[in-house]
């Protein structure tokens, strides 16, 4: 480390004798005439003057100016010399400085796939929202009515009109809903419509268009097992979290949490999906929507590497109907049937009709319900074994067939009544409006 100093100070520092000869009587500059012989000639003359010793013949004019200095200047020079020597002892050597000069902080370098993931998150995060489910509760002591959060989830912006798509179970039982956008602005949301059978709901917020960034919608028909997927949501209330994984299975089937009706062609992924991720988007590597994160398979309630997403091809049609009509028109038979386990215990295969209201399609066509006789004995109703020639072994099979039909279609239902089979024609009707 380069430092500037006077020739006098440089001479004293560079030609210092051993420490034992520099210190006498506890004073740094108090050498005896004998000890001065250890110093070089140039340093010796200066020390004689500073120590008030007489000059000898070896002295020359290098320090001739010093005797003429006033008494007030000499202590100052002594102090400066001491400070310079002390500083030199603690100064960093050039070798250490040169080594430290090689410690250079380089800018962070990311791999190509990392850059793509970062870009995907930054571009799609503004489309993801945080949904708070509020419920009315009455204080037990004051009887005041309060709104308290009873759950939360995720969603995403569908269009510039303020439509937000999420899962039905995220908003179920809510008295009020609040949507928080990516810029942390919060808006009250209204329910446009929902489909309990497919666990899809559409909300609407009155937010400025410049704050709404619709998510790019892709297709799910050409997905392949093994391709990368990315889930963005708000697990456990944590704001905008990204998890990555791959598609680990296709054409899975899960049951709706609200109605138990099967949801078909579900995407299975190992991307971490936790409570709070529900309703958030599942994206492919190009950043387009391919599904809605809806459920996980986990005994503990946390991510176990098996998550499910409703495919966007299914969601798209449902959202269009909800935005246009506020409901989904889906055909029904108009029956209540027994759990599959109960039918298996009877040793038969099919769907046991528990109730067929006379005002419903099945009741109008003549299907018989399960009932009890005058003695309290159970009389089984009709057992549906096929619809339009397609075998029905359980409730999922029946729902799967009805999903392929439209309102007004006439289907042939084959039932087992007593010990013989009958075929009955039933005209499908729309599902009653939900409130």
């Amino acid at each position: 480390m380069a430092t500037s100093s006077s020739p006098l100070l440089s001479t004293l520092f560079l030609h210092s004798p051993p420490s034992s000869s520099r210190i006498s009587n506890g004073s740094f500059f108090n050498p005896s005439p004998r000890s001065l012989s250890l110093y070089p000639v140039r340093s010796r003359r200066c020390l004689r003057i500073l120590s008030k010793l007489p000059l000898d013949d070896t002295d020359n004019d290098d320090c001739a100016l010093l005797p003429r200095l006033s008494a007030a200047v000499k202590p100052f020079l002594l102090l400066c010399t001491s400070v310079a020597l002390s500083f030199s002892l603690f100064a960093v050597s050039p070798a250490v400085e040169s080594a430290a000069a090689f410690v250079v902080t380089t800018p962070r370098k990311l791999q190509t796939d990392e850059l793509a993931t970062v870009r995907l998150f930054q571009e799609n995060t503004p489309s993801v929202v945080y949904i708070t489910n509020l419920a009315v509760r009455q204080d037990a002591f004051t009887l005041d009515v309060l709104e308290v959060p009873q759950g939360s989830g995720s969603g995403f912006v569908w269009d510039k009109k303020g439509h937000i798509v999420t899962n039905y179970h995220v908003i179920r039982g809510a008295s009020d809903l609040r949507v928080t956008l990516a810029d942390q602005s919060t808006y009250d949301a209204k329910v446009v419509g929902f489909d309990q059978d497919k666990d899809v709901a559409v909300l609407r917020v009155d937010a400025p268009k410049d704050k709404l960034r619709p998510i790019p919608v892709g297709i799910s028909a050409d997905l392949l097992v093994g391709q990368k997927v990315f889930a963005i949501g708000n697990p456990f209330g944590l704001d905008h979290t990204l998890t990555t994984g791959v598609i680990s299975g296709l054409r899975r089937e899960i049951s709706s949490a609200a109605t138990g009706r099967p949801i078909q062609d579900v995407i299975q992924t190992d991307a971490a999906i936790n409570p709070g991720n529900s309703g958030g988007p599942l994206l492919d590597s190009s950043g387009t929507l391919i599904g809605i994160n809806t459920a996980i398979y986990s005994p503990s309630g946390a991510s176990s590497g098996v998550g499910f997403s409703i495919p966007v091809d299914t969601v798209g049609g449902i959202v269009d109907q909800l935005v246009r009509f506020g409901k989904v028109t889906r055909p029904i038979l108009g029956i209540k049937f027994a759990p599959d386990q109960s039918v298996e215990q009877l040793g038969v295969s099919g769907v046991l009709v528990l109730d067929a209201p006379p005002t419903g399609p099945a009741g109008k066509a003549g299907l018989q319900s399960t009932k009890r006789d005058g003695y309290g004995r159970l009389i089984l109703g009709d057992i549906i074994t096929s619809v339009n020639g397609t075998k029905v072994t359980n409730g999922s099979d029946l729902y799967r067939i009805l999903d392929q039909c439209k309102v007004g279609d006439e289907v042939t239902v084959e039932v087992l009544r007593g010990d013989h089979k009958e075929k009955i024609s039933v005209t499908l009707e729309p599902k009653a409006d939900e409130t």
Side-chain angles (χ1 to χ4, degrees), residues 344-418:
E344 292 176 358
Q345 292 176 357
L346 297 175
V348 296
S349 177
V351 172
L352 174 60
V353 178
L354 292 180
D355 186 23
T359 57
K364 293 177 183 178
L367 268 72
Q368 295 183 0
S369 306
T370 300
K371 56 186 178 181
R372 294 184 181 274
D373 61 12
Y375 298 97
R377 293 175 298 188
L378 188 65
I379 301 177
L380 297 180
D382 292 336
I383 299 176
I384 301 175
T385 57
S386 70
V387 176
N388 284 345
T390 303
K391 186 177 180 180
V392 174
T393 58
N394 51 44
S396 296
D397 292 341
L398 180 60
Y399 281 131
R400 195 176 296 112
I401 296 171
L402 293 178
D403 283 341
Q404 300 173 357
C405 301
K406 298 179 181 179
V407 174
D409 288 352
E410 186 174 310
V411 296
T412 301
V413 179
E414 186 178 78
V415 299
L416 177 63
R417 181 175 295 174

Side-chain angles (χ1 to χ4, degrees), residues 274-311:
N274 290 291
N277 272 116
S278 294
L282 185 70
L283 309 172
D284 61 10
S285 55
S286 63
T288 58
L289 178 71
I290 60 173
I292 301 180
N293 302 320
T294 187
I296 58 174
Y297 182 81
S298 172
S300 64
S303 176
S304 60
V306 181
F308 299 102
S309 298
I310 305 173

Side-chain angles (χ1 to χ4, degrees), residues 309-325:
S309 298
I310 305 173
V312 69
D313 292 348
T314 300
V315 173
I318 296 173
V319 172
D320 289 342
Q321 290 191 57
L322 292 177
V323 170
R324 293 175 61 187
F325 309 112

Side-chain angles (χ1 to χ4, degrees), residues 111-264:
Q111 300 297 325
T112 304
D113 59 336
E114 293 177 312
L115 290 173
T117 301
V118 171
R119 189 178 303 111
L120 180 144
F121 178 73
Q122 293 175 345
E123 292 178 352
N124 289 277
T125 295
S127 302
V128 183
V129 302
Y130 180 65
I131 300 174
T132 304
N133 183 329
L134 301 174
V136 175
R137 295 288 185 270
Q138 189 175 35
D139 189 277
F141 298 99
T142 65
L143 301 181
D144 292 337
V145 177
L146 306 173
E147 272 192 339
V148 296
Q150 69 171 354
S152 63
S154 306
F156 51 88
V157 180
W158 184 259
D159 55 28
K160 284 284 188 179
K161 296 180 180 179
H163 291 113
I164 307 296
V165 178
T166 185
N167 286 139
Y168 168 71
H169 73 262
V170 171
I171 68 167
R172 181 172 52 187
S175 60
D176 285 302
L177 295 164
R178 290 177 186 164
V179 171
T180 303
L181 302 182
D183 62 355
Q184 301 305 313
S185 59
T186 303
Y187 300 90
D188 291 333
K190 297 181 180 179
V191 178
V192 176
F194 53 83
D195 183 4
Q196 296 186 55
D197 293 334
K198 302 300 181 182
D199 199 18
V200 177
V202 177
L203 312 179
R204 189 178 185 278
V205 294
D206 293 327
K209 291 185 178 181
D210 58 346
K211 290 190 175 184
L212 299 174
R213 183 182 296 183
I215 198 166
V217 179
I219 58 175
S220 56
D222 58 352
L223 297 178
L224 299 173
V225 174
Q227 73 177 77
K228 285 186 177 181
V229 290
F230 305 85
I232 302 179
N234 303 278
F236 305 107
L238 301 175
D239 185 30
H240 290 104
T241 301
L242 172 70
T243 55
T244 64
V246 298
I247 294 177
S248 51
L250 292 171
R251 291 179 290 279
R252 299 293 193 244
E253 184 177 293
I254 62 175
S255 298
S256 170
T259 64
R261 190 162 182 161
I263 306 174
Q264 302 168 2

